[in-house]
Each structure stands twice: as C-alpha cells, then as structure tokens.
Amino acid sequence: REHAISELTVRINDYQARLNGEPATEQELADLTRGYDQSKANYDDLLKKEDESQMATSMEHMQQGERFTMLDPPSLPLKPDFPNRLKFCEAALGFGIALGVVVVGAFEFMDDRLYSEKEIKALLPITVVSEIPEVLNSGEERRRKRSVILGWVMATIVAVTIMGGTVVSYFHA
C-alpha cells in the first residue's frame, strides 16, 4: 500500500508540475504567435506594394504616348450663390415694416386720450352736454402741416434709400 501511495504521490506531483508549467508554455506560444502575426502583416504589406508597383508599371507601358487634354474646362459661376443680397434686403424690409407696425400699435394701445364723442359716452355713464373743440391758431396749424410733410418726406427718403441700396447690391454682386 505504501508503494501505491508513493506512486500516486509521484503522479500527483508530476501532474502538478505540468499544470504549473502550462502558463509558461502558453506565454511562449503567445510570443511565437505574435512574432508570426507581425511577420505575416509585413509580408502582406510588401506583397500589396509589389502588386501596386506592377500595376502602375503596366499602366505606364499601356499608356505610352497618350496625353490627356481638357475638352471642356470647368466654368466658374458669374455671381455668388450665397448670400443672396436681394432676399436679405427683402427680409429686412419686411421685418422693418412689421416692427414699425408693432411699435405704432403699441403706442396707440398705450394712448389713453379721448378723441371722439362716442369714446366719451362709452366712458361716462351720463350724457354729454357739450364738447370743447380743439382750437388751433395759425402757427400750430403750420407746425402740424410741417410735421406731417416732414414725416412723409422722411418715409420717402428711407424707402428710396432702401430700394436704391437693394438695386446697387443686386447689380454689384
């Protein structure tokens, strides 16, 4: 029995030694495989370069004496595609008019003055007996007319300037 036990112990130690030696063998295999993979990659790269070189050489031999000539040269655009200045000017004009309408509407909404008999009747629960008319002297009338004329002149100048700038911008581009 002791002899069988010693044989089993020897076999166990042998198996244990082989198991302990397995990582070292595995490491050696990985080193060999890595070296093989690198060599194969280099070989494939060189083979690819050789094929490309042979193809370029054969193309050169086939096209000896041939020359490329440009039949139709590329044409450049006459005016830029972007920015479209006319569209930008139109958008700015529309935005300016809309902003002007909003500002005038806001001022009208905030104005709390009464201008007609109907507004007074709507505000007061009693009937209106009399109304005080607006009395203007000749200086105030001239000032009011001048103010209206100046407003229209300025609006015309602004509109002509915008249109002129748009036309110049359109033909300049």
Side-chain angles (χ1 to χ4, degrees), residues 56-107:
T57 304
S58 68
M59 291 290 285
E60 217 174 280
H61 285 298
M62 288 176 14
Q63 293 179 352
Q64 264 184 343
E66 284 187 25
R67 291 196 179 187
F68 291 105
T69 57
M70 191 176 302
L71 297 176
D72 188 19
S75 60
L76 297 174
L78 298 176
K79 61 181 183 176
D81 186 46
F82 184 82
N84 190 342
R85 296 173 194 262
L86 184 61
K87 285 185 181 179
F88 279 144
C89 289
E90 289 171 355
L93 181 64
F95 180 73
I97 289 172
L99 183 64
V101 168
V102 167
V103 168
V104 168
F107 279 129

Side-chain angles (χ1 to χ4, degrees), residues 85-154:
R85 296 173 194 262
L86 184 61
K87 285 185 181 179
F88 279 144
C89 289
E90 289 171 355
L93 181 64
F95 180 73
I97 289 172
L99 183 64
V101 168
V102 167
V103 168
V104 168
F107 279 129
E108 277 297 314
F109 183 72
M110 292 187 306
D111 187 16
D112 59 351
R113 292 181 280 183
L114 303 174
Y115 291 101
S116 69
E117 185 178 342
K118 289 180 186 177
E119 291 176 354
I120 295 173
K121 285 181 181 178
L123 184 65
L124 299 175
I126 57 175
T127 58
V128 177
V129 177
S130 67
E131 182 179 335
I132 301 173
E134 185 178 6
V135 179
L136 298 174
N137 60 19
S138 61
E140 289 176 347
E141 282 183 34
R142 280 192 313 247
R143 207 174 310 125
R144 184 174 280 183
K145 283 182 184 179
R146 207 176 312 141
S147 175
V148 168
I149 290 173
L150 182 64
W152 280 107
V153 167
M154 289 305 290

